[in-house]
Amino acid sequence: MDSGGYRITMGKAECGSICKEAIRSAEHRLQSGVQLLFKPDIELPFTFTSDALRIQQVLTNLLTNACKHTSSGEIRLGCSLKEIPGMIAFSVEDTGPGIPEEQAQRIFERFVKLEDFVQGTGLGLSICREIAGKMNGKIYLDTSYSPGARFVFAVPV
């Protein structure tokens, strides 16, 4: 990514297919008793122009993180056209311990992990932020959400 060789390839993207594939990629990481739900706020199928693989990559990372940190309850993947005008907003909500508001920006930095004993390198959210930027989108932690954590990843439609 740093060398400039990382490409965004625009094409036809279908919201439901992207979300279902991201769920398939992450669901094997669910802890016992945790449910993974898809809750779209738009009528499917919904097709738009974007890089479907990069969107799926970000969603898979967010879902995988949610699986790591959610030991009971549920994880919800959603998509909406109402949350951010002109964009399709994907959200991943969980019932895990949440993230302190003062860490909301820091977690997107390279090699930052809030819990040392949880698997990972601390690069996933940093890469997601880079992808969002290359797609003229945004990614952030919704600090008003509780209990748990809610991440929003939005790209233009």
Side-chain angles (χ1 to χ4, degrees):
M1 227 179 216
D2 287 342
S3 68
Y6 198 82
R7 303 248 183 261
I8 300 299
T9 306
M10 302 299 274
K12 192 182 259 190
E14 198 285 304
C15 178
S17 298
I18 293 168
C19 290
K20 288 174 185 169
E21 194 56 42
I23 287 170
R24 272 193 285 281
S25 296
E27 66 188 350
H28 70 280
R29 297 178 183 266
L30 281 171
Q31 296 184 42
S32 180
V34 177
Q35 287 188 291
L36 179 51
L37 309 169
F38 178 41
K39 299 286 189 176
D41 188 26
I42 59 178
E43 189 174 325
L44 298 177
F46 178 77
T47 303
F48 59 106
T49 301
S50 194
D51 187 328
L53 273 172
R54 297 299 174 212
I55 294 171
Q56 183 184 323
Q57 180 181 357
V58 171
L59 295 180
T60 299
N61 183 273
L62 294 175
L63 288 169
T64 299
N65 285 349
C67 289
K68 287 183 204 175
H69 297 281
T70 306
S71 58
S72 65
E74 62 186 33
I75 298 166
R76 290 177 303 280
L77 171 59
C79 52
S80 172
L81 292 170
K82 298 174 189 168
E83 188 163 343
I84 303 172
M87 301 184 113
I88 183 165
F90 298 91
S91 60
V92 174
E93 304 171 355
D94 66 48
T95 54
I99 299 167
E101 187 173 346
E102 62 272 10
Q103 300 290 343
Q105 291 304 313
R106 187 170 172 262
I107 59 172
F108 290 98
E109 295 172 12
R110 289 180 182 190
F111 303 111
V112 170
K113 290 174 56 173
L114 299 184
E115 295 180 38
D116 290 333
F117 59 88
V118 174
Q119 184 181 10
T121 60
L123 284 172
L125 289 176
S126 173
I127 292 169
C128 289
R129 180 177 62 182
E130 290 285 330
I131 292 170
K134 288 186 179 296
M135 296 181 74
N136 296 317
K138 57 176 94 178
I139 187 169
Y140 60 91
L141 173 69
D142 179 352
T143 56
S144 68
Y145 182 82
S146 74
R150 180 176 189 263
F151 284 85
V152 176
F153 169 55
V155 294
V157 287

